[in-house]
Amino acid sequence: MIDDAGAVIAPARTEDAAIAEPERRPDAGLGRRNDRILLAMIGGYVVLLSALMIMRGVAITPDVLAIGLGLAAVILGRGRLFLRDWIPFIGLFLAYELMRGYADNFGVAVHVEDVLALERWLFLGYLPTQVLQDWLHPAIGTDPWAVAATVMYFLHFPLPVAVAFLLWIRRRRAYYDFVAALIVLSMAGFATYLLLPVAPPWWAADQGVIPGPDGLPAITYLKAEGFNALASFFGFEGSYLYSYAIYEINPNPVAAFPSLHAGYPFLAFLFARRQFGRVGWLLLVYGVLVWLSIVYLADHYVVDILGGLAYATAAYAAIVHAPGWFRRFVDRAADEELDRAVRGGATDDAAVIARLQRRIVWPSVAQGLGVFGAGVLAIMAMAWGGVAGGSATPLFLVPWIAIIGGLWRAAVAVLGR
């Protein structure tokens, strides 16, 4: 385009293009350097926090990490903004984690031999878990590889959560995309666990499907060994808070495919690479270490990992290339006015919140919480009182849908105008 004075004017970018390609600024180089420094600081903080949690016997879970990152947000002067942006999604995610354990309650046949056969076919008759354990696992004494792999198993959440925190600080709009993709990935995983329960290698070995020459299981579930070594070294034997917060409340032993231990870090890598360039590739190195660990421990087949990568890629594409109506919904949740204030350098929490000219729709919040409470009561009645066939019927999904829907209704009322 050319103006009246003959100067060339760059064509205006569409909203989607602006989202896909960050605006070029004169200080872009400085911004990239600051991103790297901030990524290193946040990564170091999360690693330190995770190390302290391991040494003190505190389970490394998203809810506990959120508390630690919330303290960091308070130090940065964004405590109330953190609550506004994080709490609704944390509630939804925890509800999903509690729900997923019931995916194996409905009598669908568990896939064992067919997945094992596929794994062996991919690796020309070999089983990667067995090969790694034969190669690395010592016959006697402590297995340092099992200890390291157990630590990596526990850390499959912290660094992706750190990426979410970094996105929230530096690319707040992208943070909303990341969280939306995380929820899509989790729900797609749950639907698969419901329709296609797959046994992990340790489960198959316990059932006698992977025998060795002596008739005993050819592989060993090494996570308990690694965990016990950690407990002995740090002196928290018998006192470790191994409720694992949300997981041990409602575990699902046959939810191996897709592996969300593989999917979550890979989803974090995809967003970090898109938003922060080459530095984001560090997340891929971290992801590879997690994948090797879960195979060595006998928690997952490589087939499960490939499934996790495929699901994460699909969730990423579904959000980044979502229809316009969905992007408008996420834009509304992120609140364009508030996002402009953050991008404009308003780092003071009170100053940012003061720019909001809107109010929370409290009746809708109460409505959502009411539906959530009704779902909780229905679950208690079905699980412990045997109402409507108990927890082993498809009807048990109905109260869980009420819980998720109620939380979502409340979240929309908090986030929307």
Side-chain angles (χ1 to χ4, degrees):
M1 296 176 61
I2 301 177
D3 63 8
D4 294 338
V8 177
I9 301 176
R13 294 188 298 168
T14 64
E15 182 180 358
D16 287 343
I19 293 173
E21 180 183 354
E23 183 179 356
R24 297 181 181 272
R25 303 186 309 274
D27 62 343
L30 179 62
R32 286 194 296 270
R33 188 182 70 178
N34 289 342
D35 285 340
R36 295 186 185 121
I37 294 173
L38 194 58
L39 176 62
M41 292 177 62
I42 292 175
Y45 173 75
V46 171
V47 169
L48 176 61
L49 182 63
S50 300
L52 291 173
M53 291 164 70
I54 290 174
M55 289 186 292
R56 300 304 301 170
V58 178
I60 305 174
T61 51
D63 49 341
V64 178
L65 282 171
I67 295 173
L69 292 176
L71 293 176
V74 171
I75 294 173
L76 292 173
R78 296 189 184 182
R80 284 184 289 177
L81 184 61
F82 180 86
L83 295 176
R84 190 264 183 192
D85 284 342
W86 283 70
I87 293 301
F89 294 117
I90 290 173
L92 286 168
F93 191 72
L94 292 180
Y96 153 75
E97 286 291 344
L98 290 171
M99 177 180 68
R100 72 188 178 99
Y102 290 100
D104 62 335
N105 284 15
F106 304 127
V108 179
V110 177
H111 292 260
V112 185
E113 289 88 351
D114 52 352
V115 178
L116 178 60
L118 177 58
E119 183 86 347
R120 292 190 186 278
W121 178 80
L122 284 175
F123 293 94
L124 305 177
Y126 293 97
L127 185 62
T129 297
Q130 185 177 356
V131 171
L132 288 175
Q133 291 192 2
D134 288 345
W135 182 30
L136 298 174
H137 185 58
I140 58 173
T142 301
D143 182 352
W145 299 106
V147 174
T150 301
V151 171
M152 292 306 302
Y153 176 92
F154 287 155
L155 292 179
H156 90 282
F157 255 125
L159 287 187
V161 172
V163 170
F165 191 71
L166 179 63
L167 289 172
W168 178 68
I169 292 175
R170 296 290 295 177
R171 307 281 195 277
R172 184 172 168 275
R173 177 60 182 77
Y175 156 78
Y176 271 84
D177 282 344
F178 177 70
V179 171
L182 190 68
I183 292 175
V184 168
L185 172 58
S186 300
M187 293 303 175
F190 172 76
T192 306
Y193 303 151
L194 186 67
L195 301 174
L196 186 72
V198 173
W202 67 264
W203 197 94
D206 285 350
Q207 299 299 313
V209 181
I210 311 177
D214 55 0
L216 297 175
I219 63 173
T220 305
Y221 194 25
L222 297 177
K223 189 166 66 176
E225 180 178 333
F227 168 74
N228 290 333
L230 285 172
S232 176
F233 182 79
F234 291 114
F236 54 75
E237 294 167 292
S239 63
Y240 188 76
L241 301 182
Y242 196 48
S243 63
Y244 207 47
I246 48 183
Y247 302 117
E248 290 298 313
I249 292 174
N250 201 19
N252 185 348
V254 290
F257 182 91
S259 168
L260 295 186
H261 278 84
Y264 289 152
F266 191 66
L267 183 67
F269 156 69
L270 292 174
F271 275 91
R273 182 201 59 179
R274 182 170 186 255
Q275 294 297 324
F276 303 114
R278 287 179 296 178
V279 70
W281 286 90
L282 293 174
L283 267 294
L284 185 59
V285 176
Y286 158 74
V288 170
L289 294 176
V290 173
W291 307 336
L292 287 172
S293 297
I294 59 181
V295 170
Y296 180 65
L297 293 174
D299 262 303
H300 287 282
Y301 296 109
V302 175
V303 170
D304 304 329
I305 293 173
L306 295 177
L309 303 187
Y311 275 56
T313 302
Y316 171 81
I319 297 302
V320 172
H321 303 293
W325 66 266
F326 182 84
R327 301 208 63 85
R328 287 191 295 272
F329 171 78
V330 178
D331 286 339
R332 186 179 66 176
D335 197 309
E336 183 179 352
E337 181 183 358
L338 180 56
D339 200 47
R340 282 200 306 268
V342 175
R343 285 187 285 109
T347 57
D348 178 72
D349 191 43
V352 170
I353 299 298
R355 297 194 185 205
L356 288 174
Q357 297 179 353
R358 71 187 218 354
R359 63 183 181 85
I360 297 174
V361 185
W362 290 109
S364 297
V365 173
Q367 182 186 70
L369 293 179
V371 173
F372 167 81
V376 171
L377 292 176
I379 281 179
M380 294 172 62
M382 294 182 71
W384 297 317
V387 176
S391 61
T393 68
L395 285 176
F396 196 63
L397 287 177
V398 174
W400 279 114
I401 292 173
I403 287 177
I404 297 292
L407 284 174
W408 184 255
R409 175 64 172 166
V412 168
V414 171
L415 298 175
R417 286 184 177 275

